[in-house]
Amino acid sequence: KIFVNSSLSEVLCTTVAEALAMGKFAVVPSHPSNDFFAQFPNCLTYANKEEFVGNLYYAMTHSPEPLSEEYTYALSWKAACKRF
């Protein structure tokens, strides 16, 4: 139900994309590498320890939203190729 990725150096961010595609919460740092994912309602970004704890608590006490067709498409290879 929850995926935590505190990395600031992961280049591809595929694990975050996979977690969101599986309908999980993704708790990630506010960082340029995560900007694309911040648009997803199940992506919970944080800038400090307090926000991290708050987002983790939220994810533990709530259910992730189902992915809309729009967000499902945004995570597809077809959409990724168009972004390039």
Side-chain angles (χ1 to χ4, degrees):
K1 163 178 161 168
I2 304 168
F3 175 74
V4 176
N5 184 354
S6 58
S7 176
L8 295 176
S9 62
E10 183 181 338
V11 177
L12 299 175
C13 301
T14 54
T15 55
V16 176
E18 289 169 355
L20 292 170
M22 290 188 292
K24 297 176 184 257
F25 282 115
V27 182
V28 298
S30 295
H31 185 267
S33 65
N34 293 320
D35 284 349
F36 171 75
F37 302 116
Q39 69 180 304
F40 294 86
N42 294 335
C43 184
L44 308 174
T45 60
Y46 63 90
N48 55 50
K49 292 177 187 178
E50 291 78 18
E51 289 180 6
F52 171 79
V53 170
N55 284 342
L56 186 57
Y57 179 79
Y58 178 87
M60 291 172 65
T61 58
H62 291 78
S63 295
E65 292 184 29
L67 277 180
S68 67
E69 286 185 31
E70 175 186 351
Y71 288 129
T72 299
Y73 175 76
L75 291 171
S76 71
W77 280 112
K78 184 176 182 178
C81 289
K82 283 188 176 185
R83 286 191 295 274
F84 285 126

